[in-house]
Amino acid sequence: MAPRGSEVPGAGPPPYHSAFTTAPLAMAVVDPEGLVVSANDTFGTLLGTDPAALAGCAAADLVDLASDARTWQAYREVLSGAQSRLRCTRRLKRPDGQSLWAQVTVAPLAGDAPGLLLSVADISARRELQAKLRHLQMHDPVTRLPNRALFFERLSAALEPESYEGGTGRIGLCHLDLDGFKAVNDTLGHRVGDRLLAGVAERLTRCAEQAARTRTGTPLVARLGGDEFALLVEDSTGTDQLAELAEAVRGALREPFDLAGRRVSVTASIGVVERHAAGTTPTGLVQAADTTLYWAKADGRDRWTLFDPERNAHRMTRQALASTLRAAIDRGEFALEYQPLVGMEDGRLRGVEALIRWNHPQFGLLAPNRFITLAEEDGSIVPLGRWVLRTACAQARRWQLDHPGEPPIFVSVNVAVRQVWDSDLVADVARTLTETGLAPELLQLELTESAVMGSAGRPLQTLKALSDMGVHIAIDDFGTGYSNLAYLSRLPVSVLKLDGSFVRGFQYDARGAERDADRTSPADEVIVEAMVQLAHKLGLTVTAECVETSDQATRLRRIGCDTGQGWLYSRPVPPDRISELLVQPAAGRP
């Protein structure tokens, strides 16, 4: 075979025998049975043996082709002619105990000659260079910790079933962020900032090593970017283990750092997640940890916070609502209910407050506290507010036409501050009143106390224009904000709606029975009475919110409240129920 002259009696060596023998590439000729026929000097040098001694040896054993089933099968197919070539990388051991990385190639001999040519290239230097390059690529140059890419590689491997089966089957992650790191960079410079990051990395590594003394395995410490770090705990034993690690990290980082003669103090906020590895994805675990880190920041920093599925579900629900809010307006998913406003003296229905509800296809009926803030944040409160205004005014006019023999009732609509700034509220109201035919005096607009008190510029001009139009302006939840009654004389306000916290202070009975310890002081009654008297002197009417008992109604009526609103009279109800109340005295009349 490859010198080929040795196999054919009387024939001289082939022309390439000299090249084969002196070639710098290690080569051997293998017969169809897989045995070495001859090997060149380079092959012998590579394996640290006499090449002549290799004749008759199984080639697969010399270059470790039988160590894994896939390579062995491919080699057998090349021997049989079913496959044309095999190329693989092997780690070979020399007789002197040294090892090398080799690229092994097996291919048929040229022409019709039977057998194979086995060639082996020493790629140890290349592998070493590749390893160095990979280390540089997968490690952070500032802290020398694994970087984000290597972290996700390790995390993905840890979440493979074969990795966690046989262990606890759980995984944990501490995701931390330095509090105030930007200030260090801005005031002391990025060089000091990098030294701080390196110091943090050393302390995190020490915490991981100390944790390994009492637990199985050392947590992986990685820098994810910026001032964000992670500690990955494979085969975790539960939340207690992660809590101990997070507390140890928090304590270690609170000790001041000595950086080139400067003492720098930092703290860390840490998000902690611990769960079953089965069903967990790398992205899902990191997102949960990132969310929990945000909670730790929001809750005050310098703390660790454990992932809470319920809190996360609320956050996800909030995001889902925000993303569909505008489209829900177009789809007609909103509806109005109306809560009666009742005269305190005669118990008759004087007006209603329009309260919006969202019939969400996934989450069911939602009260306004679930979505109004979202609408204000993304600006959808403007089109939503227009819909509420138009729907409420149309309904009030319909009641008026359906019950011509009854005194018409007014409708009160809540207005957000953003509606005043981001839309032409005066034009919207004028157009709505014209289209629905409702008289301006039958519309009341409610704004919060903090929005009205101190109004200047455009908000004040808007309120005055609406008042001049004949629309009533009411301050909602009065008493919880500025409470500057004197300022009211300069505002076009006609109604004060007392916050329910004052009304709840009237829960003791009218005969002065002993109060429960958890009930508000009767001083609330003195305060409310003073506010009512001053409001009346300013020409304002007063509505008491959250009236729930007849005792409350009696006291509120005695101190001069004009109208009441609350469950004593009615909960928010659909429009047809208001039609019934129009011809009946409301509940709670004296």
Side-chain angles (χ1 to χ4, degrees):
M1 303 178 99
R4 297 194 47 89
S6 61
E7 302 174 29
V8 182
Y16 54 82
H17 179 269
S18 174
F20 172 82
T21 303
T22 61
L25 179 65
M27 292 185 290
V29 176
V30 181
D31 68 18
E33 299 302 320
L35 302 178
V36 174
V37 175
S38 62
N40 66 2
D41 291 342
T42 309
F43 197 98
T45 302
L46 183 72
L47 297 183
T49 188
D50 182 0
L54 298 177
C57 294
D61 293 340
L62 296 176
V63 290
D64 195 29
L65 297 181
S67 60
D68 72 83
R70 181 177 296 179
T71 301
W72 173 247
Q73 178 62 31
Y75 173 63
R76 299 296 298 172
E77 290 179 356
V78 175
L79 279 175
S80 66
Q83 185 171 316
S84 62
R85 177 184 291 266
L86 166 65
R87 176 169 289 175
C88 61
T89 300
R90 281 292 178 269
R91 188 176 179 87
L92 306 181
K93 278 195 175 181
R94 297 160 52 102
D96 60 5
Q98 302 225 350
S99 61
L100 60 94
W101 284 99
Q103 185 178 76
V104 179
T105 303
V106 183
L109 288 170
D112 296 330
L116 306 172
L117 179 64
L118 171 68
S119 61
V120 183
D122 185 352
I123 60 170
S124 298
R126 187 171 73 188
R127 290 278 299 201
E128 184 178 352
L129 177 60
Q130 289 175 339
K132 289 180 179 178
L133 291 175
R134 173 176 167 77
H135 186 275
L136 291 174
Q137 180 185 12
M138 305 299 276
H139 287 76
D140 171 51
V142 175
T143 64
R144 300 185 180 181
L145 292 176
N147 61 14
R148 190 178 190 88
L150 182 54
F151 169 78
F152 270 96
E153 183 179 290
R154 287 281 302 272
L155 175 57
S156 298
L159 291 175
E160 292 292 333
E162 57 267 24
S163 297
Y164 59 76
E165 288 175 353
T168 63
R170 303 186 68 84
I171 194 164
L173 178 61
C174 291
H175 183 194
L176 67 96
D177 175 277
L178 302 181
D179 302 322
F181 176 72
K182 183 177 183 299
V184 174
N185 270 343
D186 291 345
T187 58
L188 302 180
H190 287 272
R191 180 173 297 181
V192 174
D194 286 349
R195 289 179 179 175
L196 175 60
L197 292 174
V200 168
E202 290 178 5
R203 294 190 185 182
L204 294 180
T205 301
R206 198 177 310 133
C207 287
E209 293 170 348
Q210 290 173 350
R213 296 174 185 172
T214 56
R215 308 278 184 174
T216 303
T218 303
L220 171 71
V221 182
R223 182 188 178 195
L224 301 185
D227 60 337
E228 293 185 29
F229 295 83
L231 291 92
L232 178 65
V233 180
E234 299 180 46
D235 280 333
S236 61
T237 56
T239 56
D240 287 346
Q241 179 186 3
L242 271 294
E244 289 175 9
L245 180 60
E247 190 59 38
V249 166
R250 178 170 168 265
L253 296 183
R254 293 180 75 181
E255 292 295 324
F257 290 81
D258 188 357
L259 306 175
R262 298 175 181 271
R263 288 178 65 82
V264 178
S265 297
V266 295
T267 57
S269 298
I270 309 171
V272 178
V273 183
E274 202 280 338
R275 59 178 53 168
H276 287 288
T280 297
T281 65
T283 302
L285 185 68
V286 173
Q287 283 181 343
D290 187 62
T291 295
T292 314
L293 169 61
Y294 171 79
W295 295 343
K297 289 279 192 185
D299 291 344
R301 304 187 175 194
D302 187 21
R303 67 189 61 214
W304 61 268
T305 301
L306 186 65
F307 180 76
D308 181 356
E310 291 186 7
R311 186 173 181 179
N312 186 59
H314 176 74
R315 180 184 69 91
M316 297 299 291
T317 301
R318 193 175 190 273
Q319 292 177 345
L321 293 178
S323 64
T324 59
L325 216 164
R326 287 182 179 272
I329 300 172
D330 299 331
R331 289 194 298 264
E333 294 178 2
F334 292 94
L336 293 184
E337 291 185 337
Y338 301 88
Q339 187 169 31
L341 294 152
V342 175
M344 299 294 287
E345 288 297 330
D346 57 12
R348 295 194 64 85
L349 184 64
R350 300 293 176 82
V352 294
E353 179 180 354
L355 299 170
I356 190 170
R357 304 288 186 262
W358 185 355
N359 291 306
H360 196 281
Q362 180 181 355
F363 303 116
L365 188 65
L366 302 179
N369 63 339
R370 295 288 301 277
F371 58 86
I372 288 298
T373 300
L374 298 176
E376 291 176 342
E377 290 174 358
D378 71 0
S380 57
I381 190 67
V382 173
L384 185 61
R386 288 194 185 105
W387 178 86
V388 172
L389 179 67
R390 183 171 58 253
T391 304
C393 288
Q395 182 61 63
R397 177 59 174 161
R398 190 171 304 117
W399 284 321
Q400 185 179 9
L401 295 175
D402 290 346
H403 303 277
E406 299 293 334
I409 61 173
F410 67 88
V411 63
S412 190
V413 176
N414 291 280
V415 175
V417 176
R418 191 158 182 175
Q419 289 177 259
V420 179
W421 282 104
D422 292 1
S423 68
D424 191 343
L425 184 61
V426 176
D428 288 344
V429 170
R431 181 171 55 254
T432 299
L433 293 176
T434 300
E435 292 174 354
T436 60
L438 186 69
E441 60 270 18
L442 295 181
L443 173 63
Q444 176 174 287
L445 299 180
E446 296 187 21
L447 291 90
T448 61
E449 179 181 354
S450 58
V452 176
M453 305 301 284
S455 293
R458 182 173 178 178
L460 181 58
Q461 295 170 3
T462 298
L463 296 180
K464 288 183 176 179
L466 291 168
S467 180
D468 292 343
M469 192 187 301
V471 174
H472 297 289
I473 305 297
I475 300 179
D476 193 17
D477 299 328
F478 186 79
T480 60
Y482 295 91
S483 300
N484 187 347
L485 286 168
Y487 188 69
L488 291 174
S489 62
R490 288 174 281 176
L491 290 174
V493 173
S494 55
V495 180
L496 297 184
K497 296 189 72 175
L498 293 180
D499 184 69
S501 60
F502 290 104
V503 176
R504 282 189 285 273
F506 293 10
Q507 289 181 353
Y508 55 88
D509 63 42
R511 295 181 300 277
E514 184 177 350
R515 285 95 175 164
D516 292 339
D518 61 344
R519 287 176 177 170
T520 310
S521 166
D524 277 348
E525 182 173 342
V526 177
I527 296 172
V528 171
E529 185 172 5
M531 285 195 295
V532 170
Q533 290 177 357
L534 184 53
H536 285 167
K537 289 181 181 179
L538 293 174
L540 308 177
T541 61
V542 179
T543 297
E545 298 181 297
C546 301
V547 183
E548 298 179 355
T549 69
S550 57
D551 286 334
Q552 289 173 328
T554 298
R555 290 181 173 274
L556 290 166
R557 182 168 55 251
R558 191 185 69 214
I559 63 178
C561 281
D562 302 288
T563 55
Q565 177 181 0
W567 287 6
L568 173 64
Y569 308 108
S570 174
R571 298 179 182 231
V573 294
D576 55 353
R577 176 57 182 154
I578 298 298
S579 296
E580 297 174 8
L581 294 176
L582 279 170
V583 295
Q584 302 173 5
R589 67 180 296 182

